[in-house]
Amino acid sequence: MNVVAVTDEAGAVVDAALLAAAEPVHRQLRPHLPADYRRRMEEVFAGGAEMAVAVREGRVLGVTVFRVLEKTFTGRELYCDDLVTDEAHRSGGAGRAMIAYMERLGRERGCDVLALDSGCQRQQAHKFYFREGLV
């Protein structure tokens, strides 16, 4: 399992093919995204977000969208907007690989914490997050 950047640190798309391949997986979490997925994601990236994908054998199995925030409460925070693994490939290591990727980036960028929010209805996701040490 490899985690590959779709954007650079400035939010510029560095791999358009991976952005396109990420769309069906990302829509499993965010089905409300508009039809022009690329344009919307470029707007999100322009606001400071980045994207990476978990890939195995050329197939996107997971998507993470994240950003670095400066906050008075937590300090420098790598905040994960979205973390989703293809429902057909859950428990295969993609989620763990993406969390490890974000933790590494957070350390490299001097972040104090890795944070995310998750809807209370997402019980299976919460079990995974707790197993990975997120609270």
Side-chain angles (χ1 to χ4, degrees), residues 87-108:
E87 58 195 13
H89 297 277
R90 295 214 170 118
S91 299
R96 176 171 282 154
M98 290 184 294
I99 287 176
Y101 176 86
M102 288 186 291
E103 287 174 334
R104 180 183 58 76
L105 274 183
R107 282 190 302 275
E108 289 173 3

Side-chain angles (χ1 to χ4, degrees), residues 116-135:
L116 58 77
D117 298 310
S118 181
C120 58
Q121 78 281 5
R122 300 187 69 230
Q123 295 174 349
Q124 290 306 108
H126 291 172
K127 287 180 185 178
F128 166 73
Y129 298 141
F130 291 145
R131 250 190 342 263
E132 295 302 312
L134 298 167
V135 293

Side-chain angles (χ1 to χ4, degrees), residues 4-65:
V4 181
V6 173
T7 63
D8 63 16
E9 191 172 342
V13 175
V14 296
D15 194 323
L18 280 179
L19 178 59
E23 182 178 357
V25 176
H26 199 184
R27 286 188 182 282
Q28 291 176 25
L29 178 65
R30 305 285 185 223
H32 64 277
L33 288 167
D36 191 348
Y37 177 78
R38 181 182 174 119
R39 186 177 63 84
R40 178 62 185 131
M41 292 312 299
E42 286 176 343
E43 293 169 348
V44 172
F45 302 147
E50 298 174 57
M51 177 187 277
V53 293
V55 179
R56 181 184 298 140
E57 297 174 2
R59 181 173 179 172
V60 172
L61 300 182
V63 176
T64 184
V65 177

